[in-house]
Amino acid sequence: MFKRGETQVLTVTTLGSPSLEQLIESPEGETAKRYMHHYSMPPYSVGETGRVGYPSRREIGHGALAERALLPVIPAQTSFPYTIRLVSEVMSSNGSTSMASACGSTLGLMDAGVPIKNPVSGIAMGLISDKDKEVILSDIMGMEDFCGDMDFKVAGTVDGITAIQMDVKKDGLTDALIKKIIDQAKEGRSFILNKMLSVIPKYRDTLSKYAPRVSIITIPKEKIGEIIGPGGKVIRQIIAETSCDINVNDDGIVTISGTEPQKVDMAYKWISGIIKEVTPGEVYEGLVKRILSFGAFVEILPGREGMVHVSQMTTGFVANPADVVQIGQKVTVRVAEIDDQGRINLSMLFGEDANKKTQQRQQSGPRRDQFPKRRRF
């Protein structure tokens, strides 16, 4: 809530997943908008009765001004992958509600944990002129706006101006007068900004627990098919088990969003495991998923399985793999090789045991059934 005199504006900040961005049809085609600011000034804010519904031309214009004022400080999507919507509700109005909306929106963004580049404050400047005498007013009220000759709104940070908008009722302004107005507005903006920063000096370090969690991972374009799977099987399984919203762009950017951080992290690791290049010699702690007559399939990464042949389970003879491992058991395995079909062959033998088994195989010669043909799963 930002209050200045009888002007009170309540700004609500909502953070959503990237998929909730606004799609806009334009003459140049479809575009997307991830940061939106909406302004509402109902009749009761000025003590009147009237219809509340679709926004008026004035409300659209004031919302656009406050949106423009904050646009330069909104973080890039690569660093803050959220859709941001601000709604400024004018509770009471006595002038300069658009600048109050800019100030309230800055406070709302910082309170929501949005890492804005700089806080923004705004002020409306007025002008009273009579023949050769002119007086510049700072932070005008409704009466000063109505009776004055100008409404010059200036918003910006400590580094400069981000948005301006002017209504003037006289023939024009001189360059010297405009410079004086902007200099005086800077003093007013600095005063207001100091008051704002005394309440919340910087944006929150953490997001609200009610905000969704979003992670972004960039994958090679040739791996997109593996993430989606045949007929979308893989990505549907990830969504079903993690309850996350997953979007894969054509440029290889994968966006994961969900309300539970653990589930988002699970989906992130799952996708990372799919695109990871497994190399011989790596050691994993895997989970036994299936047992067949000639060996066991072990999941070493989310969605990635390799096979441990019975000859690579122990140094001795194994008649039945179920005598050594059970489904659901965690086992430590080593990547023995990646065959010419991209299949992962694993081994549960390490060190001297692995060397001993290699010597035994060399002495006995290769067996035709050692690595039987199998389907790729």
Side-chain angles (χ1 to χ4, degrees):
M1 171 77 79
F2 182 86
K3 177 180 178 182
R4 191 263 309 153
E6 295 181 357
T7 295
Q8 299 181 34
V9 175
L10 173 67
T11 297
V12 179
T13 304
T14 304
L15 301 179
S17 65
S19 62
L20 296 177
E21 61 188 2
Q22 185 181 20
L23 298 179
I24 302 172
E25 292 285 351
S26 68
E28 298 178 353
E30 187 178 78
T31 58
K33 189 176 182 182
R34 61 177 286 262
Y35 158 62
M36 297 155 279
H37 181 277
H38 296 145
Y39 168 98
S40 174
M41 185 176 172
Y44 64 75
S45 63
V46 289
E48 298 177 354
T49 59
R51 181 175 179 176
V52 178
Y54 55 85
S56 65
R57 181 185 63 84
R58 179 184 175 280
E59 288 176 309
I60 294 173
H62 278 48
L65 176 61
E67 180 178 291
R68 181 74 60 85
L70 288 160
L71 184 60
V73 303
I74 297 296
Q77 189 168 13
T78 53
S79 60
F80 191 75
Y82 285 85
T83 297
I84 305 169
R85 184 188 184 216
L86 299 168
V87 178
S88 292
E89 299 279 355
V90 179
M91 313 304 291
S92 176
S93 172
N94 190 20
S96 193
T97 53
S98 62
M99 292 297 94
S101 298
C103 296
S105 297
T106 296
L107 295 172
L109 288 169
M110 291 196 294
D111 189 47
V114 180
I116 59 175
K117 300 173 185 177
N118 267 322
V120 173
S121 62
I123 190 171
M125 307 298 293
L127 178 67
I128 300 292
S129 59
D130 183 17
K131 297 181 181 180
D132 296 333
K133 187 176 181 181
E134 296 173 324
V135 178
I136 300 172
L137 306 178
S138 294
D139 205 13
I140 57 176
M141 296 187 296
M143 184 59 68
E144 297 167 332
D145 183 14
F146 181 79
C147 298
D149 296 323
M150 180 191 71
D151 180 11
F152 197 141
K153 303 180 181 69
V154 185
T157 68
V158 293
D159 297 326
I161 294 173
T162 56
I164 60 174
Q165 187 265 332
M166 181 181 68
D167 298 323
V168 64
K169 302 175 185 176
K170 57 185 298 183
D171 292 338
L173 304 176
T174 64
D175 292 344
L177 189 59
I178 291 177
K179 182 179 184 304
K180 186 177 180 181
I181 292 169
I182 291 178
D183 290 340
Q184 189 169 323
K186 183 178 180 181
E187 296 179 12
R189 288 192 295 109
S190 299
F191 178 84
I192 295 172
L193 185 59
N194 289 333
K195 294 294 184 181
M196 293 165 55
L197 296 181
S198 67
V199 177
I200 176 170
K202 67 183 296 290
Y203 58 84
R204 308 288 186 195
D205 294 330
T206 57
L207 296 177
S208 167
K209 64 180 181 179
Y210 301 107
R213 294 303 186 265
V214 179
S215 291
I216 291 181
I217 180 172
T218 302
I219 65 173
K221 293 182 181 179
E222 59 271 16
K223 295 283 187 178
I224 293 178
E226 297 184 27
I227 300 298
I228 297 176
K233 177 181 178 182
V234 175
I235 195 169
R236 284 202 304 268
Q237 182 183 2
I238 299 174
I239 293 173
E241 295 191 17
T242 62
S243 301
C244 291
D245 181 25
I246 302 175
N247 292 284
V248 184
N249 295 337
D250 294 337
D251 55 2
I253 296 178
V254 181
T255 306
I256 308 165
S257 58
T259 55
E260 300 180 43
Q262 299 85 356
K263 295 294 185 66
V264 173
D265 186 57
M266 177 182 173
Y268 185 93
K269 291 180 178 178
W270 193 328
I271 294 173
S272 300
I274 293 176
I275 66 173
K276 185 181 184 304
E277 295 291 341
V278 178
T279 57
E282 291 181 332
V283 177
Y284 295 92
E285 184 178 10
L287 196 67
V288 178
K289 289 291 188 178
R290 292 173 293 148
I291 298 177
L292 303 178
S293 60
F294 52 83
F297 285 87
V298 178
E299 185 181 55
I300 57 175
L301 293 168
R304 299 286 296 277
E305 292 183 358
M307 192 198 76
V308 182
H309 192 264
V310 287
S311 63
Q312 294 295 317
M313 290 183 173
T314 66
T315 55
F317 175 75
V318 178
N320 185 2
D323 296 335
V324 181
V325 295
Q326 301 295 324
I327 294 178
Q329 177 184 346
K330 288 186 177 181
V331 293
T332 303
V333 293
R334 172 178 55 87
V335 179
E337 66 171 351
I338 309 295
D339 66 15
D340 54 359
Q341 298 184 35
R343 298 175 300 187
I344 303 172
N345 293 320
L346 305 173
S347 174
M348 295 171 58
L349 303 177
F350 297 87
E352 292 298 327
D353 291 341
N355 294 333
K356 182 179 178 181
K357 196 67 176 181
T358 302
Q359 293 174 0
Q360 292 177 355
R361 187 169 57 185
Q362 290 174 349
Q363 293 172 0
S364 61
R367 299 203 316 266
R368 292 176 59 89
D369 61 339
Q370 188 168 3
F371 292 97
K373 293 182 179 180
R374 61 183 188 275
R375 292 178 61 193
R376 184 176 182 180
F377 293 91

